[in-house]
Every structure is written in C-alpha cells, then in structure tokens.
Amino acid sequence: MRLGERRHGDNADAEGVTQEAMANIIDTVSKGYLATTVACAQCHDHKLDAVSQQDYFGLAGIFMSSRWISRGADTTDPNVATLERLRAIKRNIASEMGALWQCAEESLVTAITATSADEPAKQGNSKPAPAAETFPDSAVALWRHVQTATKNGASPREAWSKLASWYQTERDARAKDNVKNLTFVADFTGETIPDGWRIDGFGMQHGLVKDGELVVADEGGAAVSQLLVAGRWSHVWSSRMGGALRGPLLEQNKDVALSVGYAGGKHAAQSLVVENAFHSERMNFLDRPQPGWMTLTPANLPALAGGVDHTPRRLYLELVTKSLNNYFPPRAAYAGLKEADEKDPRSWFGVTRIYKHPVNGAPRDAMPHFAALFEIATPSSKDETARAIAKWILVSVDRWSSGHCTADDVRIINEALAAKWLQNDALASPKLAQLVSSYRDTEKKLQPERVIGSVEDWGEGRDERIGVRGSYTEFGDAAPRGNIRFLGGPASRADEHSSGRLEFAESIANDANPLTARVFVNRVWLHLFGEGIVRTPDDFGHLGEAPSHPELLDWLAHRFVEDGWSLKKLVKLMVSSASWRQSCIPNEAAMTQDPENRLWHHMPMRRLDAESIRDAMLMASGR
C-alpha cells in the first residue's frame, strides 16, 4: 500500500489525507528545487537515481513534523480605533440594560408565572430537559418541576422543601466527585496563555473577558445575545472576528480523559488533528450557546479507539472559527452544511478551563448558582415561588450592574434571558434602540483579518519510520530527517526537537549546493525562451534529457550565485543577450542541421499566454 492511498478503518481519513499531501509536497519540492524524482522512492529505493527509501522518509520526517494551519497574516491590527468605539457604545448598552432589568420585578414575576409546566424545558445547549429522576439544572426546569409537583398533589411549600433537600444532597455529591476526579490542566481566564497552547486571530487576541461581559446581538430584535463567563471568546466584539486555539500533543492514555470548558456556534469547529492532517474528517461543528464541557475520551483518540491500527499518532485539539479553519468550507454537504452557511462569515467559540480525569469522571455540574435561591424563605404559594425566583434573578442583575458579577450571576441572567423572563427587546427604549443600531453599524466597519495557509514548527520533530513497501501501518527503522544523502543528508540542528525545515531550506538555497542554482536558472530560461536548456526541468536524473549547452548552464548558475541569487539580474542578463535579441526568422541551412532549434539559431515565436493578455488589458484600462 502506498502512502497516498486510503484504507478503511479508524485512522484512514486523516492519515490518508496527510500522507497523500506529504507525498505531493515531497514530489513538488524535490522536482521544483532539485529536479530529482524523490517520490519514486516512496515504496522502494529508486531504481535509476541515487535516492533511497530512507531519503524519502527523511524528507517525510521534516514535513510530518510541521503543523499545517491557517493563520492571520496581518502584522498590525487595523481595528484598534473601531474597537474603542465599540467599547464605549457597549458600556452604554450595558448601563441601559441594567436600568431596564432592575426596574422589572413585576414583569419578571408575571413572565415566570406564565411559564407553563407542560412545555419541555430548554437548557443552555438547546437539548430537552433532563429526565425526571435528574435534578432540574436550570431556573426554568426548576420552576416547572415545582409546578408539576403541585399539580400532583403536593403543596408549594412541600414541593419547594423537597427540592431544596434534594439540591443539597445532589450538590454535595457532585462537588465531592469533582474534587476526587478533576486535575487542573489549563486556565484561559488570565492574561497569560497556558504553556503548550497557542491562540490566533483578532477575536481571541481581543477576547479575554471577566465574568459578565455582554455580547450585543448582531441581528434581529434582541439587544443582548448573552453574557460571558471569564475566559477567552472570539465574539466579544463581533462574531465576524476570527479565532483559533490549538493545543499541545495529547496524552493518549486509555485510562485518562480530557474535558474542555467551552461554548461555540455558527459553524465554528472542533477537530482532533491526526498526524498534522491538512483536512481533518474528524471535524465537528460546535453548537452550544452556553458553557459546557467537551470531553475527549480514549474512544475519541485514533490509536485507542479499538480499530485495527493501534500505532501511536501525533494528535492535538484545534478549535477554530470559519476564517481560520484549514478545512472550511469542507467537502460538499459535510455535516449538513449549506451554501448559505458557507457564505456567512460569522462564527464563534470560547474556552474557560481544561481538566483531565478518569474516563468515567467527567466534570459534574454542582449547580452553585442555586445556593442563594434556596436560602430564601420557603414560599407557600405559586406567586411566592415566582417572586422568590424573580428576587434571586434581580440580585444577580444588581451585582452585574455594579460590576461585581460572578460566574453564577452570569448563568442566572443567561437562563432568564433564554426563558424570555428578562426584557431583551432592542426597541425597549429609544435610547437603547439607537445604541444597538449604532453598535451594529460600527461593528460592520471591522476589517476581517487576512488569512493565509501556513506552516508552523511547534518543536514536535520526530523521525519517521520507513513504511514497509510504503505502508503507514507496517514500519521498519526510523529514517533521520534531513536532505537526500547525495546532497549532504541530515544536517545538525540547533534545536533537536525542531522539524528540520529551516536546515533543509538552508541546504537547498546554499552556494555550495551544485543543483539548486542550475535548476532555477533552467526554469527561468524555460519561461523566457519557451524551452529549457534541459528540456526536462523536473528531472535532471537518468530519465531526464541532457542539457543542450552544459557549459552555458554551469556558467549561468555560477553567475546567478555570484549575483546574490538575484532573479532581476538573471532575467536582465538573459534578455540582453544576443540569443534573446536575434530574429525569429529561421535560416534555412540552420533548420536543415538543427530542425528543433536546440542550438538556438533563431528566436522562436511563442503564443502570448492568457495571463499576459489579461494583465495587458488591466493595465490599458487603468485597473
């Protein structure tokens, strides 16, 4: 099986794409710069040229040790002034919303009372309410639980007292499990990015917030989309701003799982990137409006998933918005993606904290936000129950308005907003309407960052083992990563853990390299004259043609290096030569001796290519 071929199984998609891409890269680099067909040594030693299978996997080790990602290309932030205006507007919106909510006790009680016990409760992640035997973990679910209990014959006081007792027991049990199982890994609530993790994109760079940061709804009749808990969020100012979070190589232990505190939506994506795959078929779109846990168990990890191939793989977690997603848009109809979703630039995600734990010990919601609610005097009627919940919400509103908000307050207010208990109409007052409109108009002035496909070295260098007959499931000895041996082979590295890309590049663009300058000079000659001095520009080996003028090729390569590898000087030298300036009318005697014009006795006429025609039209039109 060749490295580029796919197979069915737990690793087929990601590794198949990666190995195929590596084969293409090695083929392109070796032909483009060295005019040597190294790809022929993918499955066996080259039969004609001095290239072994070890050389191929030496190059594979370089490229497989690099991460292939999309990243922002801007060196300066073009949105600093716009963000300052958005901050000022948002402060005023927060002030208006706080004043609106603080004066809304009666309307809040009315909205709570009007909530039917028969409707299915919705949680923050838009999933149905938990089963009856599970403690109701949202304010709406709790209200409906009490109303259902009273319908079944219990008094409001009895239903509330039973619920309070149940909460105490449940909270203590869950908190105890968390203390027992969770080991802290990374914290994204501070200025410093945790070791081993990297962020990218203006959204994440400007996305560090404390508990209670308000997100303005970017469309529709609502003024507020949500409040955020402390962490890094890509959409603090706009969901059109990009963001990426990439982690270190994951520990692949069958007994250990990882849980990431996150939220995200609008086709931001999570991927477990296997062997630095360009396009990961393991990509999942995020759809969780309120914070929760993303748990990565051994079943998610390719080498531990129970498939036929248990070979350890490089594996890391990536969270990205659309703009920084290397695999967006993906293949047609991936995970139900529609054309409108591809055209919409908006997406977002955020992260808070990361823990590791036993496989069956994922973080449990201890529901600390309910503690203050059950400290309120036990209500004795439906109206008192609604009023108790309303007062509990308003206490959080007061703390949020005064700048002393906690994560519990954020959750309480978000649940009230999701239930439409709190006023959230952008037209609630003329001033609020003007502020929201101004924010949205200003937000549209944010310039999207320019994104490029890129390579990044994370110090994860590893020598690749030789694939037996090209297989990537059956291996031989490791091949030291580096250049092919007839050009010097592996070079020493300043950092032993680096990929070796820098050293490889330096060995290619090196005055002592006898091949690169000749290959480059031949390609420039080909583009100018229509045919190279060597007519097989990708292959200077045994299967390639010999140069028509070997001394000229050597002299041009030597002159090119002496001129500091200057393309401008090389082109000037060629186009000012007698060969370039001669007539295109052939001499009959010369044509008899050299009908293919290999000795350049006249300048052949050439068709003008389409790109040149287009450039001339744009130049003439002033565009």
Side-chain angles (χ1 to χ4, degrees), residues 413-432:
I413 295 172
N414 278 338
E415 288 180 2
L417 285 170
K420 298 184 178 179
W421 289 349
L422 282 174
Q423 173 67 268
N424 193 22
D425 186 354
L427 302 177
S429 71
K431 183 177 181 181
L432 181 61

Side-chain angles (χ1 to χ4, degrees), residues 181-188 192-197 247-251 256-261 293 317 352-357 363:
N181 294 323
L182 302 184
T183 301
F184 183 75
V185 172
D187 185 1
F188 294 94
T192 304
I193 304 300
D195 289 343
W197 296 82
L249 296 180
L250 291 177
E251 175 186 0
V256 177
L258 197 71
S259 285
V260 181
W293 295 100
L317 174 66
T352 54
R353 294 178 176 85
I354 300 178
Y355 295 92
K356 66 178 180 180
H357 50 80

Side-chain angles (χ1 to χ4, degrees), residues 376-392:
I376 297 174
T378 303
S380 58
S381 66
K382 178 179 179 179
D383 181 70
E384 285 187 14
T385 303
R387 198 164 293 279
I389 295 175
K391 289 182 177 179
W392 170 65

Side-chain angles (χ1 to χ4, degrees), residues 98 102 391 393-404 413:
Q102 285 175 315
K391 289 182 177 179
I393 293 171
L394 290 174
V395 168
S396 291
V397 168
D398 288 340
R399 277 198 293 262
W400 176 75
S401 297
S402 64
H404 299 93
I413 295 172

Side-chain angles (χ1 to χ4, degrees), residues 517-535 537 548-549 552-553 555-556 567 570-571 573-575 577-580 582 597-600 602-604 606:
R518 286 172 171 80
V519 172
F520 190 85
V521 163
N522 187 65
R523 289 191 181 280
V524 175
W525 185 281
L526 180 152
H527 282 289
L528 290 175
F529 287 83
E531 194 172 76
I533 297 173
V534 178
R535 289 203 290 187
S548 60
H549 299 73
L552 174 61
L553 182 64
W555 183 82
L556 285 172
L567 175 59
L570 178 64
V571 171
L573 177 66
M574 289 184 181
V575 298
S577 67
S579 297
W580 174 267
Q582 63 186 330
N597 194 30
R598 290 297 289 143
L599 300 179
W600 298 102
H602 71 278
M603 187 66 183
R606 298 176 58 197

Side-chain angles (χ1 to χ4, degrees), residues 581-610:
R581 291 182 293 163
Q582 63 186 330
S583 171
C584 64
I585 301 174
N587 178 281
E588 185 175 343
M591 286 296 293
T592 302
Q593 294 289 325
D594 179 23
E596 294 186 2
N597 194 30
R598 290 297 289 143
L599 300 179
W600 298 102
H601 49 76
H602 71 278
M603 187 66 183
M605 295 185 68
R606 298 176 58 197
R607 288 181 180 272
L608 191 63
D609 59 63

